[in-house]
Amino acid sequence: VIIFLSGFFLRLGNYNLPDKNLYYDDNGLQYFQESDSYYNYRLTRNLLEHGHLGDKIIDGRSWDLHSYYPPGVPVDYPPLLPHIAVGFYLILNLIGSVSLKEACLWLPTIISPLAGIVGFLFSRRISGEFGGFITGMLIVTAPLYVFRTKFGFFDTDMLNIIFPLLIVWLLFEAEN
């Protein structure tokens, strides 16, 4: 719990920015922190609304008509992040009512600290409870990882640590 909450609160440094006119849209939601977040959000919205990542199906393939406008391009983007975001959005809407953009803004602050939990569980088997705690804290407080997974940074960086670490940990457990 300490590892998760440390990572969670560390990533909220840019939540609730002071200048409402500069950092917030017309709906009162903060803007995403970088341009790739808008692309990922658009693909996620397409997946939720149309059932595929593109804007339209052309010749049996999903096409993104906004990239390389006007001709568009087939969507060859790996769909893991949009699928995770839609799942997170649907789970949140079982509890309350949130928009897809709100879910996408919050997703990195939830997923990234989970990497510290995986690191704790993995390292605990090798070096005990204290070693696992230190590993988890180092993962959730790594400066570059925190910077790229803060509130409103909806990009694949949140998955760069958790999935490789999860795979190595599960292989390690399978070996034992």
Side-chain angles (χ1 to χ4, degrees), residues 104-134:
C104 293
L105 284 166
W106 281 100
L107 187 63
T109 63
I110 302 295
I111 295 286
S112 303
L114 292 176
I117 303 299
V118 174
F120 167 77
L121 294 171
F122 180 30
S123 184
R124 181 179 65 168
R125 298 272 289 159
I126 299 169
S127 59
E129 298 286 327
F130 182 71
F133 178 75
I134 295 299

Side-chain angles (χ1 to χ4, degrees), residues 4 20-21 33 42 47 54 60 69 75 85 87 90 105 109-110 114 120 133 144 148 150 171:
F4 180 82
K20 300 287 184 193
N21 295 330
Q33 301 296 313
R42 191 168 54 80
L47 180 64
Y69 186 79
V75 177
L90 293 174
L105 284 166
T109 63
I110 302 295
L114 292 176
F120 167 77
F133 178 75
L144 187 60
R148 300 287 295 181
K150 60 189 176 190
L171 289 172

Side-chain angles (χ1 to χ4, degrees), residues 18-174:
D19 191 351
K20 300 287 184 193
N21 295 330
L22 185 60
Y23 299 112
Y24 291 81
D25 65 11
D26 295 337
N27 297 325
L29 291 174
Q30 245 181 277
Y31 290 118
F32 286 117
Q33 301 296 313
E34 48 94 39
S35 59
D36 285 348
S37 298
Y38 288 98
Y39 178 72
N40 291 324
Y41 172 68
R42 191 168 54 80
L43 294 182
T44 303
R45 192 181 66 229
N46 284 343
L47 180 64
L48 184 65
E49 293 173 359
H50 308 300
H52 56 86
L53 297 178
D55 300 307
K56 189 183 253 191
I57 301 286
I58 299 175
D59 294 330
R61 293 186 69 188
S62 183
W63 275 72
D64 181 1
L65 300 177
H66 292 88
S67 293
Y68 304 105
Y69 186 79
V73 66
V75 177
D76 58 356
Y77 190 78
L80 184 60
L81 181 60
H83 282 285
I84 290 173
V86 167
F88 183 66
Y89 166 76
L90 293 174
I91 289 170
L92 285 179
N93 276 302
L94 291 175
I95 300 167
S97 178
V98 298
S99 69
L100 179 62
K101 186 176 180 186
E102 284 177 291
C104 293
L105 284 166
W106 281 100
L107 187 63
T109 63
I110 302 295
I111 295 286
S112 303
L114 292 176
I117 303 299
V118 174
F120 167 77
L121 294 171
F122 180 30
S123 184
R124 181 179 65 168
R125 298 272 289 159
I126 299 169
S127 59
E129 298 286 327
F130 182 71
F133 178 75
I134 295 299
T135 301
M137 289 303 289
L138 287 173
I139 290 171
V140 298
T141 60
L144 187 60
Y145 190 51
V146 171
F147 175 71
R148 300 287 295 181
T149 59
K150 60 189 176 190
F151 177 82
F153 207 95
F154 182 57
D155 204 355
T156 56
D157 297 297
M158 69 182 95
L159 309 174
N160 289 349
I161 300 293
I162 193 166
F163 281 115
L165 191 58
L166 188 62
I167 290 167
V168 170
W169 175 51
L170 291 175
L171 289 172
F172 179 78
E173 290 295 327

